[in-house]
Amino acid sequence: MGAALGIGVDVGASLAKLALREGGTLRHELLPADAIERVAERVVSLAPRTLGLTGAGAGELARRVTGESVRVTEFAAWGAGVRRLLAAQRPDVSEPYLLVSLGTGTSVLLAQGMGVSRVGGTALGGGTVMGLGGLLLGGASFEEIIALAAKGDRRCVDLLVSDIYRPGEIALLGDATAANFGKPGVHERTPEAGDLSHAIMGLVGENVALICAGLAAAHGVRRIVYGGSTLRGNAALRDVLALITAAFGREGVFLAEGEFAGALGALELAGGL
């Protein structure tokens, strides 16, 4: 492999996301964030001419790599990366919009006037899926939880609005959750692993979408752009987010490869694109 002309690295709490530009080609890599030495070795082996770093672990990575690097604030990196992804995937989406970074936790940013600012967030995110799923499912991995959720049905675990009200009796979606893990008798039996996994996605997805819908209303924004590593291959979570977002009159936009937005933005703001 020839030398990478530019690399952007977003070091989060769980994953390190790399955006690599070699000539006219842009590609991505994922590495565990807790293996920071492995991440550093990978970066050094590529001998980048331009290196942009962002995320919680950017400082530690900067101390382990040789040569110059450019530190980019996380929100600025996400804003720049998402603009580039939207330009390729959804050029019709213009500012203002909410940008939701679903990583270990969740941050909500307002993109407006070529700038981004954090307007909210929640501790619910991929860390919740991994932690709660691991506790309930005998140490299942994140990938296993996603696969189980795709085959499960949270209606077997959650108490839904439709379990309490007949259609038309209340102005709420019947599929909305009245109580997470609150289905009568659920604790008297052993729920299927898939149903528990799907319920975890419901817990995270509904609450994230509710928070985002409220923030969108407060800021007069119609579109909510979702990205982040928690959505990678996670159709169950995406479906919940889309349902609740639409129920509150907002358009959910889901980025392909949105987990690399921060790395892509770090690369761009460091001058590597």
Side-chain angles (χ1 to χ4, degrees):
M1 180 188 299
L5 295 180
I7 301 177
V9 188
D10 178 7
V11 188
S14 302
L15 293 171
K17 287 78 67 176
L18 282 70
L20 304 96
R21 183 177 70 85
E22 300 176 85
T25 302
L26 184 67
R27 61 189 182 84
H28 305 115
E29 294 182 7
L30 279 174
L31 293 169
D34 58 2
I36 193 68
E37 191 59 41
R38 179 180 166 195
V39 178
E41 289 174 358
R42 178 60 176 151
V43 170
V44 170
S45 72
L46 293 167
R49 296 183 185 177
T50 304
L51 176 60
L53 305 178
T54 192
E60 182 62 30
L61 181 57
R63 287 187 285 271
R64 293 171 180 262
V65 297
T66 56
E68 294 186 2
S69 62
V70 178
R71 291 282 298 277
V72 180
T73 62
E74 191 168 353
F75 300 151
W78 261 85
V82 166
R83 287 190 196 98
R84 186 168 287 271
L85 290 172
L86 284 174
Q89 299 170 27
R90 285 289 305 271
D92 60 302
V93 176
S94 58
E95 298 177 351
Y97 53 81
L98 285 189
L99 165 56
V100 185
S101 172
L102 272 151
T104 305
T106 300
S107 286
V108 185
L109 312 177
L110 175 64
Q112 188 173 33
M114 296 303 293
V116 293
S117 58
R118 190 179 191 275
V119 293
T122 173
L124 292 170
T128 311
V129 173
M130 288 191 294
L132 188 56
L135 289 168
L136 292 178
L137 301 168
S141 68
F142 185 71
E143 291 75 17
E144 289 169 337
I145 297 166
I146 289 177
L148 287 166
K151 299 180 288 186
D153 186 349
R154 66 190 183 92
R155 292 175 295 181
C156 299
V157 176
D158 290 342
L159 180 68
L160 304 184
V161 170
S162 59
D163 293 325
I164 305 172
Y165 294 98
R166 293 179 180 178
E169 288 185 340
I170 191 171
L172 290 173
L173 285 174
D175 284 340
T177 304
N180 296 102
F181 298 90
K183 195 81 166 183
V186 69
H187 304 300
E188 299 171 5
R189 55 184 172 82
T190 302
E192 295 292 331
D195 298 339
L196 285 172
S197 300
H198 199 225
I200 293 169
M201 299 304 178
L203 169 68
V204 173
E206 280 198 352
N207 283 282
V208 167
L210 284 169
I211 290 169
C212 293
L215 290 169
H219 292 278
V221 172
R222 186 171 69 87
R223 287 184 170 123
I224 302 175
V225 180
Y226 292 100
S229 55
T230 306
L231 283 167
R232 183 178 177 85
N234 196 342
L237 179 58
R238 174 176 171 152
D239 289 347
V240 174
L241 290 167
L243 175 69
I244 302 303
T245 301
F248 282 85
R250 310 292 158 177
E251 179 189 355
V253 178
F254 294 87
L255 294 170
E257 298 189 319
E259 62 270 31
F260 297 103
L264 183 61
L267 175 59
E268 176 179 330
L269 294 176
L273 287 176

